Amino acid sequence: MHELSVARAILDRVETEAEAAGLAAVRQIKLEVGSLTGIVPESLSFCFEAITGGTVAEGADLAIEALPAKGRCLEGGHEFTFQGYAFACSLCGSARFRITGGRELQIVELQGDPP
Amino acid sequence: MTITVKTIAPVLEANDRIAQENREIFRRHGIRALNLMSAPGAGKTTLLERTLAGLKDELRIGVIEGDIATDADARRVSALGVPVVQINTGGGCHLDAGMVRKGMDELPLGELRLIIIENVGNLVCPAEFDVGEDEKVMILSVTEGDDKPLKYPLMFHEASLLLINKIDLLPHCPFDLEKAKKDAARVSPDLKILEVSCRSGQGLSAWFDWVLAGPSRSFPA
């Protein structure tokens, strides 16, 4: 729903990282996105392309890897992944768990050209 | 030649950092901060009005009003004579920690014991952004339908308290109260649930008690 503001935040971060690494142009950005962030990859890619014209990331490919939602059960300590909206421990069925994964939104790799 | 740079660069790191700072500022001032979330029209502003009218003599309360573009809600709230700051998100679907900080900067924090942050009406995005609150309070109104806990589980899972509002309309709505409560408990077993009507006032004393007592569900950090 807020992909445009996320795209802007990604571009900020890419510009900082590219400068630090001495990249003249960024070709590919690998991004990890947790399934609980609610981010729609197609929408994010569309927004990203729309705002990167004239920047170091113009034309860069946004490679998005979806990360599953994860929880740790507060009853039995079981660690599990869950699909989107099945909010329960896969072992005992309890919904008394702490979310331990699925909220990630991070750049893990940049590929680009030297000056 | 292509250069590959491995990194871990959290995109929303800035939000989480500011949220943590907000939490520290609240703690330093002895302020409890509630993040009030619901769909549009569920009754957030009406709940605020009733709460301020009912509690402003017992508790120094400040309000941060999130809204996409207008100051209509802030005007309703300021009519009750409490400090209120309007934050317009300019189209944004949620409040973030930086926006809340701007609001905090304009409130007399030293004089307050409670800050209620009214988030933008939305059942998805506000649950994803920590703004530094102590607890999330959610409103579900009976006119929205009893299917919401299973459709928007993250928000229910994150909330400490659920207010089921507009219960005076139960006779007129196909809303199965027991099903809604059961489904909410299914996604969040420790969620405290109160039934209220901000129009008739029914159930509001239990909500006032909750605000004054300050109990909280606490998951290990």
Side-chain angles (χ1 to χ4, degrees):
Chain A
M1 205 177 229
H2 43 261
E3 279 77 1
L4 183 58
S5 53
V6 170
R8 287 204 185 99
I10 292 171
L11 178 59
D12 279 352
R13 205 61 212 238
V14 165
E15 287 178 327
T16 308
E17 297 281 321
E19 192 180 340
L23 299 180
V26 175
R27 298 294 172 203
Q28 189 188 57
I29 300 149
K30 286 192 183 166
L31 187 71
E32 291 180 344
V33 178
S35 69
L36 293 176
T37 60
I39 290 170
V40 180
E42 294 78 10
S43 174
L44 181 59
S45 296
F46 177 81
C47 292
F48 191 73
E49 190 184 335
I51 62 167
T52 45
T55 73
V56 71
E58 180 168 1
D61 172 41
L62 200 57
I64 299 174
E65 187 191 351
L67 298 184
K70 288 187 197 166
R72 187 168 62 244
C73 183
L74 294 174
E75 309 283 1
H78 182 58
E79 307 216 0
F80 58 97
T81 62
F82 58 99
Q83 287 292 331
Y85 285 162
F87 265 55
C89 171
S90 61
L91 196 64
C92 70
S94 169
R96 195 169 279 120
F97 68 90
R98 200 165 93 74
I99 294 171
T100 55
R103 315 190 90 154
E104 301 84 354
L105 180 59
Q106 54 197 19
I107 298 163
V108 291
E109 188 186 295
L110 295 181
Q111 286 183 15
D113 303 335
Chain B
M1 187 185 76
T2 300
I3 299 174
T4 298
V5 184
K6 301 280 186 191
T7 179
I8 294 286
V11 174
L12 299 179
E13 183 183 49
N15 185 75
D16 293 342
R17 196 190 65 240
I18 296 167
Q20 207 48 45
E21 290 169 7
N22 290 354
R23 197 164 274 124
E24 271 307 309
I25 294 168
F26 287 136
R27 187 169 301 153
R28 211 163 50 236
H29 288 89
I31 292 171
R32 181 177 181 216
L34 301 177
N35 184 357
L36 184 59
M37 310 184 296
S38 79
K44 290 184 297 301
T45 310
T46 307
L47 177 77
L48 265 177
E49 289 175 321
R50 302 295 298 234
T51 306
L52 297 171
L55 292 180
K56 70 174 177 178
D57 294 333
E58 298 178 58
L59 201 60
R60 293 300 310 264
I61 307 175
V63 174
I64 297 175
E65 272 289 345
D67 199 294
I68 287 177
T70 75
D71 65 353
D73 290 351
R75 276 195 262 169
R76 280 172 64 183
V77 170
S78 69
L80 292 159
V82 301
V84 53
V85 184
Q86 175 72 47
I87 305 289
N88 283 332
T89 62
C93 46
H94 60 273
L95 287 177
D96 66 31
M99 296 174 193
V100 168
R101 171 68 64 79
K102 278 190 198 152
M104 291 161 66
D105 287 346
E106 293 183 30
L107 286 174
L109 296 180
E111 302 169 15
L112 302 176
R113 283 293 161 267
L114 175 73
I115 289 181
I116 302 179
I117 301 158
E118 180 178 339
N119 218 311
V120 178
N122 179 339
L123 287 180
V124 182
C125 313
E128 295 159 24
F129 285 81
D130 183 8
V131 297
E133 75 279 348
D134 294 299
E135 282 149 307
K136 294 179 163 76
V137 173
M138 187 188 169
I139 305 177
L140 169 66
S141 61
V142 304
T143 49
E144 294 164 58
D146 53 31
D147 56 352
K148 296 300 172 286
L150 297 185
K151 290 178 99 166
Y152 302 93
L154 182 62
M155 185 162 285
F156 287 85
H157 190 265
E158 296 292 287
S160 300
L161 175 70
L162 170 65
L163 296 170
I164 300 184
N165 188 26
K166 307 188 188 179
I167 54 164
D168 53 315
L169 296 181
L170 273 176
H172 311 290
C173 297
F175 184 92
D176 184 335
L177 185 60
E178 290 313 309
K179 177 187 185 311
K181 286 160 75 173
K182 200 178 83 203
D183 287 348
R186 208 168 114 197
V187 297
S188 184
D190 296 325
L191 180 64
K192 183 164 173 57
I193 301 175
L194 296 175
E195 299 162 24
V196 301
S197 165
C198 290
R199 196 172 66 162
S200 74
Q202 188 182 343
L204 284 178
S205 60
W207 153 248
F208 293 165
D209 288 345
W210 186 88
V211 172
L212 289 173
S216 80
R217 175 187 77 163
S218 58
F219 275 359

